[in-house]
Structure formats: C-alpha cells, structure tokens
C-alpha cells in the first residue's frame, strides 16, 4: 500500500481524525541515514507525527518538529510541507538500545527534554513556535501534550514503527484524533474506549488497514466520513543553489582556507544525505563576485 494521509470527521462534526501509513518513507529515511532499529523507530515516529501535524495546517504553511532530549539519540528534527513531503534526521543515527518491555526503547533513546513545534506561515512573517516539556520521549504522547497545551484541544496521538529482524521497516504509521469544542461526553467516552481497545499504530498498518479503515476503527460509533486522502513521501527541499548559498555563508576566510587546503568544497544535506561538490573555479568565482569586505 502506497504511503498516504487521510482525514476524517465524525457525523456531528465534533471529532476529527487524521491517520497515515508511512512505511515506505520511513524505510527510505532509514536507508538514507543508515539508522539502527531504535533510531529508526524514533525517526519514523517523528516523521509520521510531523505529517499528522502538517495535516492540520492551512494551505502553504510548513511545520517542523524538533525533539531535544538528554538521551543517546541527541536531537530529532522532522519537517513537513503541505504537499505531503516530509524529511528529517537524528543526531546519532547509530543509536540502538536493548528493547524495553518487548518494544523499541524510543523514550530511553530520547531521554528527558523538550519538544519544539514551529509553524512557518505561508505569508512572509515570523514563524510561530511552541515549546513543551517531553512527557515520555515516546513522541506520540509528547505531540498530544503539545496539542493540548497549544490549542487546548483534547488530542490523542499514536505513532509507531515496526522494525523487522533484519533492520528494515516492516510497517509504520500513526493517527491523531481530536475532540473539538461541542463534543458530547458520550462521544468522548466512545473515543476513549475505541482508542484503549485499538492495537498499536504499527499493528494497525501490519493488519493492512489504510488511513480510512484506521479512522473507521478509532472513530467507531461516531459515523466518521472521509474528507480527504493524499499521498505522502520522503522529500527534501535541498538543491545545488541552496548548497551554494551555504558555501557563501561560510564567509571569505573560510572559503580561502578551503581553497588552499582541499581546492574544492562539499556540502552534505543533513536531511537527505545528498552531496553537492563545488570545484575551485566555482569557489573562485564566488570569492571574486563577493563585495569587498563581506564575510571577512
Ligand atoms: Zn536534502
């Protein structure tokens, strides 16, 4: 089943849900970054959570999610664009911990710290940042806490990654369900019971459920209807032009030093691993094209 994100709404319009199947894009992230199982699960949960939160954005907005903990994983960054593209990385992709209660120990890898969610508006203007302390470092509960704190909307977020014994991603996905103002106690009770009874997100995906079927299960009894389904994929926004910009940002002194020692410069995109190489001629042209004194 191709990766996708779906949105649904209860018949009375007071409960909304998003669900995603992200197996292929999490596997692509694993291959690009060479992550080991615990890091794969952490990164996959972060990418899936960014896509789910991205599904709540207005047209043209972008969103980035940053988890900074004191655990061995270091920092996790994931960002999602409205076209269904997502990308991300972790500081230490080779992080792998012994399982805890039979599950990959993402909370142990992340540790204690903060979650920062940044929304970049479509129109020029400053981004909107929210920072909350991590609840568990397991990502899902942390993102739910962010939604409750920043939007005062009771939310449940589940994200999960199933890693096969050979290290590849067998299944990944997640859901986000919110009770909007006006939701009845009965609807909320029903939702809580459904979620308590539901298997983990990665089990739902392993069972072969798509986003619509996941929401059907989680919002059972609330007569959910599908609003939208869109493809999602691992997609980076880097380019040779942006990499050149990074070279220029090094400044004149650093560029001179690179030219003297290596005679070339290489910029590696930390999101996707793409390498951009600039040879001496190009770098000389940058240096000569720069206005006097800049970067010096
Ligand atoms: Zn890139």
């Amino acid at each position: 089943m191709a990766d996708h994100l779906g949105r649904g709404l209860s018949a009375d319009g007071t409960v909304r849900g998003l669900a995603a199947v992200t197996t292929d894009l999490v596997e692509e992230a694993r291959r690009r970054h060479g992550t080991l199982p615990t890091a794969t699960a952490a990164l996959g949960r972060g990418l899936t959570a960014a896509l789910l939160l991205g599904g709540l954005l207005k047209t043209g907005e972008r969103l980035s999610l940053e988890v900074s903990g004191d655990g061995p994983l270091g920092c996790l960054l994931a960002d999602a664009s409205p076209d269904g593209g997502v990308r991300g990385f972790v500081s230490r992709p080779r992080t792998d911990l012994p399982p805890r209660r039979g599950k990959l120990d993402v909370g142990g890898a992340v540790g204690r710290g903060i979650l920062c969610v940044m929304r970049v508006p479509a129109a020029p203007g400053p981004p909107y940042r929210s920072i909350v302390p991590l609840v568990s470092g397991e990502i899902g509960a942390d993102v739910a806490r962010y939604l409750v704190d920043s939007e005062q909307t009771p939310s449940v977020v589940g994200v999960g990654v199933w890693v096969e014994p050979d290290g590849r991603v067998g299944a990944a996905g997640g859901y986000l369900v919110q009770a909007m103002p006006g939701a009845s106690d009965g609807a909320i009770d029903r939702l809580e019971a459904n979620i308590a009874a539901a298997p983990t997100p990665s089990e739902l995906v392993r069972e072969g459920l798509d986003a619509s079927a996941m929401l059907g299960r989680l919002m059972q009894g609330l007569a959910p209807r599908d609003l939208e389904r869109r493809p999602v994929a691992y997609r980076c926004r880097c380019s040779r032009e942006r990499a050149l910009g990074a070279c220029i940002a090094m400044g004149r002194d650093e560029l001179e030093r690179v030219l003297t020692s290596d005679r070339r410069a290489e910029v590696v995109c930390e999101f996707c691993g793409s390498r951009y190489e600039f040879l001496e001629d190009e770098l000389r042209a940058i240096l000569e094209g720069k206005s006097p004194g800049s970067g010096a």
Side-chain angles (χ1 to χ4, degrees):
M1 190 187 334
D3 289 352
H4 64 279
L5 175 81
R7 271 193 317 129
L9 192 67
S10 65
D12 69 357
T14 64
V15 176
R16 71 172 166 187
L18 294 108
V21 174
T22 57
T23 310
D24 292 346
L25 70 89
V26 175
E27 169 63 9
E28 179 166 350
R30 181 195 70 81
R31 278 190 277 108
R32 284 185 179 276
H33 296 289
T35 48
L36 291 180
T38 315
T40 303
L43 179 57
R45 289 186 193 180
L47 292 168
T48 305
L51 277 172
L52 291 169
L53 288 175
L56 301 172
L57 295 176
K58 298 187 190 82
T59 311
E61 285 185 333
R62 279 196 299 111
L63 176 137
S64 83
L65 174 159
E66 188 175 348
V67 177
S68 309
D70 61 4
L73 186 72
C75 176
L76 183 167
L77 190 69
D79 74 25
S81 15
D83 65 355
V86 69
R87 59 180 190 164
F89 65 90
V90 294
S91 325
R92 286 190 282 279
R94 309 298 287 174
T95 304
D96 200 26
L97 301 183
R100 196 157 150 263
R101 293 191 209 110
K103 296 196 166 173
L104 290 165
D105 189 8
V106 172
V110 168
R112 283 172 304 183
I114 54 163
L115 165 68
C116 174
V117 177
M118 188 171 80
R119 271 169 41 201
V120 183
Y128 180 79
R129 271 195 189 81
S130 291
I131 297 176
V132 293
L134 294 176
V135 178
S136 63
E138 297 281 343
I139 315 295
D142 304 307
V143 170
R145 160 84 177 263
Y146 151 76
L147 287 167
V148 172
D149 278 16
S150 69
E151 297 185 3
Q152 282 78 49
T153 311
S155 308
V156 176
V157 178
V159 283
V161 176
W162 174 264
V163 179
E164 300 288 356
D166 66 2
R168 284 182 302 170
V169 176
Y175 56 78
L176 185 166
V177 181
Q178 295 187 306
M180 314 297 284
S184 69
D185 290 346
I188 292 173
D189 289 348
R190 186 74 209 237
L191 202 53
E192 284 176 349
N194 289 348
I195 288 166
T200 64
S202 57
E203 282 164 351
L204 290 169
V205 175
R206 289 182 81 202
E207 283 179 27
L209 272 63
D210 67 357
S212 171
M214 273 195 257
L215 292 176
R217 170 110 48 124
L218 297 164
M219 294 163 73
Q220 202 173 2
L222 304 172
R225 60 195 165 88
D226 292 334
L227 293 181
E228 186 203 359
R229 177 181 170 122
R230 66 172 93 142
V232 294
Y234 197 94
R235 202 151 43 230
C236 197
R237 298 192 303 274
C238 69
S239 64
R240 195 168 166 79
E241 288 66 38
R242 286 183 194 215
L244 186 61
C247 277
I248 293 169
M250 283 198 292
R252 176 173 287 271
D253 291 353
E254 179 64 11
L255 263 182
E256 289 280 13
R257 194 191 61 72
V258 167
L259 273 184
T260 315
S261 58
D262 301 335
R263 311 181 83 82
R264 54 184 276 282
E266 187 179 72
V267 177
V268 181
C269 175
E270 56 192 352
F271 282 101
C272 71
S274 294
R275 291 168 184 276
Y276 299 95
E277 190 181 42
F278 299 97
L279 299 175
E280 188 171 5
D281 293 354
E282 283 175 284
L283 296 177
R284 285 271 169 231
I286 298 169
L287 277 176
E288 278 148 27
K290 279 174 86 80
S291 57
S294 67

